[in-house]
Amino acid sequence: MHTPAHVRPTDWWREAVFYQVYIRSFADGNGDRVGDLAGLRAKLPYLRDLGVDALWITPFFPSPMADHGYDVADPRDVEPVFGNLALFDAMLAEAHELGLWVTIDLVPNHSSHEREWFQAALAAGPGSPERARYLFREGTGPDGAEPPNNWPSVFGGPAWTRVPDGQWYLHIFAPEQPDLNFANPEVVADLEETMRFWLDRGVDGFRIDVAHGMAKPDGLPDMVPMDDTGLLDDHGPGDHRFDNDGVHVVHRKIRAVLDQYPGTMAVGEVWVSDDDRLAQYLAPDELQLAFNFKLLTADWSADEMRDAIDHSLAAVGQTPAPACWVLSNHDRPRHVTRYGDGEVGTRRARAAALLQLALPGVAYLYNGDELGMPDVDLPDEALQDPMWFRSGGAERGRDACRIPVPWSGTQPSYGFSSDAETWLPMPRGWAGLTAEAQERDPASMLSLYRAALELRRSDAVSGDGLEWLPAPDGCLAFRRPGGLVCLVNFSGSPVPLPEGRVLLASADVAGGSLPGDAAVWLQA
Ligand code: GLC
């Protein structure tokens, strides 16, 4: 048992800024074209200087990589491509020394098909205790040749695959990701063991993958057919694959383990848009945080953003949790691209950063947000996401938002790796996007993030909640209890600056007005 060298204050996460490290794409320490723990370790000082409080590291566990690590073959070890346990421990210790909290992904809903358990289930046959760890069923129709129900996989195709003895197994994601059976106490006990394994090593918490999955309704009834079963969208109560009431039992078990490690926390990936249903995950004995995807799914408009913010605050208002704001992650187009790409997308992304970081509660940044990384259109032959393959090329998948981070230099791989090639190709023309180039430029996205993160530590950006202020058409303005006023102009034309001392602006406000697609922080 490792004893953490640091003492965690309770609720250190309540106003924290987390930085999502998509491990494959963050930094490659050993020149094999794939990011890893050694690469991350070398960049810890950069993250400290950026001013974030905590990390979320995406899965780095042994995996055949059918879903780039979200198919876990052994939840209690490190994938050799990413390093080993000793390297993890060293990285963790160093992060703690630098004052960074470290959280890691926990993937309870499914395992890899290569996990020993699944291989044993295949070998043991129908009716065995080995099969009872997963969701094996007989098929329907003549000879059971039809799947047990009509559920589609979120990656395309049916959520069922047939095995040679005739049974079918459920996989809400890829066939290489069989769903585990959370009605089986052995499965729950195994999850608890995994949590303890990492908590004993000193991690400060978890991001819980598909936290609205895990529980499946009795009898696995057909779901309401839906035209678009798209990735992780919330389709409401007709979609029996997600958000079943039984999932809260699992969350209470997860919380009970965390409570034995004071100060540790979990954030859930909960794609549930109904405010009341989302709030249930944040009961005092369940998750401390749930990602709020309303900001990530809102268009660049004052009305949509206002609505997203109001609903998010209303959802957490009934719970002990703060709001938890996300603009981008490894599953969705990056916000620079969503907001129009190129110059306009970047302008808006600068404004969005000031909006996100002024809101009360927790903020999650995705690696590269601080550099203003856009999505990259990749040629077909470069695509790797299972969505692309499973949808027969109908969906291009998520590779575009997973391009490696550009660190320095003028040519691919821009200091990401010692190799010029990378697991997803990096484009030409990114010399100006590197951290090195932006560090020297006071007008860069990186400089804006650093300034905003520093100001976020001041009294102005403090206190619970916000007060909406009157604002010109196409704008949003609010005040935080600490005195910060944030004005965001979603329109194309300039508006007058409100009273107050300008603390930070995403565009030039020298003439006394805030240009379109820009935001400003003022001390009123
Ligand atoms: C989560 C992850 C996504 C993954 C899926 C299946 O939504 O964020 O990347 O494909 O779960 O594990």
Side-chain angles (χ1 to χ4, degrees):
M1 150 108 68
H2 300 233
T3 311
H6 59 299
V7 179
R8 298 180 193 97
T10 344
D11 294 4
W12 56 266
W13 40 268
R14 282 196 84 85
E15 294 180 354
V17 176
F18 285 73
Y19 185 95
Q20 177 188 356
V21 175
Y22 188 71
I23 188 81
R24 292 184 73 78
S25 296
F26 187 63
D28 173 14
N30 67 355
D32 67 355
R33 306 174 174 184
V34 177
D36 49 37
L37 292 169
L40 166 58
R41 184 180 178 187
K43 296 296 183 197
L44 291 173
Y46 165 87
L47 295 170
R48 188 234 4 233
D49 294 347
L50 175 61
V52 298
D53 304 293
L55 312 181
W56 151 32
I57 311 170
T58 60
F60 50 82
F61 319 111
S63 165
M65 301 288 161
D67 188 18
H68 291 129
Y70 284 97
D71 47 323
V72 180
D74 179 353
R76 299 186 281 274
D77 203 349
V78 171
E79 161 64 38
V81 166
F82 299 135
N84 53 46
L85 278 171
L87 247 171
F88 177 82
D89 291 341
M91 184 281 302
L92 180 63
E94 231 164 278
H96 282 159
E97 270 164 36
L98 293 174
L100 295 164
W101 308 102
V102 177
T103 68
I104 65 173
D105 234 300
L106 192 67
V107 189
N109 182 68
H110 43 265
S111 77
S112 161
H113 67 136
E114 285 188 17
R115 185 167 177 184
E116 213 187 326
W117 267 14
F118 191 71
Q119 291 304 317
L122 290 180
S128 60
E130 286 84 354
R131 284 213 174 169
R133 293 171 179 145
Y134 292 89
L135 291 155
F136 281 86
R137 293 288 184 277
E138 298 302 328
T140 55
D143 305 326
E146 296 297 322
N149 69 22
N150 71 350
W151 295 3
S153 145
V154 299
F155 291 153
W160 296 92
T161 291
R162 200 170 195 193
V163 300
D165 57 52
Q167 279 204 321
W168 298 74
Y169 69 87
L170 179 71
H171 52 86
I172 299 293
F173 295 89
E176 296 87 352
Q177 293 165 295
D179 278 53
L180 286 154
N181 173 18
F182 271 84
N184 183 337
E186 224 190 316
V187 169
V188 177
D190 180 71
L191 177 65
E192 293 174 348
E193 190 180 331
T194 298
M195 290 179 68
R196 289 209 171 84
F197 178 87
W198 295 106
L199 290 166
D200 286 342
R201 298 194 101 81
V203 307
D204 303 297
F206 300 98
R207 175 266 190 187
I208 302 190
D209 190 61
V210 201
H212 58 325
M214 279 105 83
K216 310 295 187 294
D218 284 344
L220 304 177
D222 278 350
M223 61 186 264
V224 178
M226 289 165 194
D227 295 342
D228 172 20
T229 52
L231 177 74
L232 306 174
D233 283 324
D234 166 29
H235 297 285
D239 186 347
H240 300 314
R241 299 171 302 172
F242 300 111
D243 193 31
N244 285 285
D245 289 336
V247 79
H248 297 286
V249 177
V250 182
H251 283 296
R252 289 195 274 274
K253 298 213 158 116
I254 290 174
R255 180 59 178 263
V257 175
L258 290 174
D259 283 348
Q260 292 165 8
Y261 294 80
T264 60
M265 51 75 69
V267 58
E269 183 203 25
V270 186
W271 281 96
V272 170
S273 55
D274 181 83
D275 295 346
D276 297 332
R277 297 221 39 112
L278 180 63
Q280 288 179 26
Y281 290 80
L282 297 167
D285 55 353
E286 298 194 30
L287 291 166
Q288 282 91 345
L289 296 173
F291 286 134
N292 194 306
F293 294 122
K294 291 189 170 80
L295 212 57
L296 178 150
T297 47
D299 283 342
W300 184 251
S301 92
D303 288 348
E304 284 212 18
M305 288 289 184
R306 166 89 193 236
D307 200 54
I309 293 166
D310 281 339
H311 276 282
S312 308
L313 293 174
V316 294
Q318 335 164 23
T319 76
C324 178
W325 310 100
V326 183
L327 282 174
S328 282
N329 65 26
H330 65 295
D331 289 327
R332 293 286 179 142
R334 284 179 173 274
H335 54 281
V336 166
T337 298
R338 293 202 313 271
Y339 297 154
D341 237 336
E343 222 173 288
V344 70
T346 303
R347 271 183 76 79
R348 292 173 175 171
R350 290 174 64 86
L354 293 196
L355 171 63
Q356 181 192 20
L357 295 173
L359 290 168
V362 175
Y364 271 79
L365 311 183
Y366 174 40
N367 59 205
D369 280 0
E370 81 281 18
L371 302 177
M373 283 179 76
D375 277 12
V376 175
D377 276 330
L378 293 170
D380 291 2
E381 60 279 8
L383 297 180
Q384 306 206 15
D385 188 351
M387 272 184 100
W388 161 252
F389 299 106
R390 297 272 305 160
S391 71
E395 302 272 352
R396 295 191 74 74
R398 302 160 290 175
D399 295 315
C401 69
R402 298 175 172 178
I403 307 300
V405 171
W407 291 102
S408 59
T410 56
Q411 301 291 327
S413 61
Y414 306 99
F416 167 78
S417 171
S418 57
D419 200 308
E421 307 278 317
T422 44
W423 76 279
L424 289 172
M426 299 176 74
R428 308 218 154 263
W430 269 15
L433 209 62
T434 64
E436 181 188 49
Q438 296 200 34
E439 237 148 38
R440 293 190 298 255
D441 176 5
S444 69
M445 186 76 86
L446 179 58
S447 298
L448 181 75
Y449 267 91
R450 284 189 175 167
L453 289 169
E454 196 180 322
L455 278 168
R456 219 182 121 97
R457 296 176 190 276
S458 68
D459 287 346
V461 198
S462 65
D464 284 342
L466 56 77
E467 178 199 348
W468 289 111
L469 303 175
D473 272 357
C475 295
L476 292 181
F478 60 86
R479 191 197 335 258
R480 293 289 306 281
L484 177 91
V485 168
C486 175
L487 170 68
V488 189
N489 183 358
F490 295 88
S491 80
S493 9
V495 297
L497 280 184
E499 293 289 299
R501 183 166 59 89
V502 173
L503 299 173
L504 188 61
S506 72
D508 189 5
V509 292
S513 62
L514 178 67
D517 294 328
V520 61
W521 285 6
L522 303 116
Q523 172 80 58

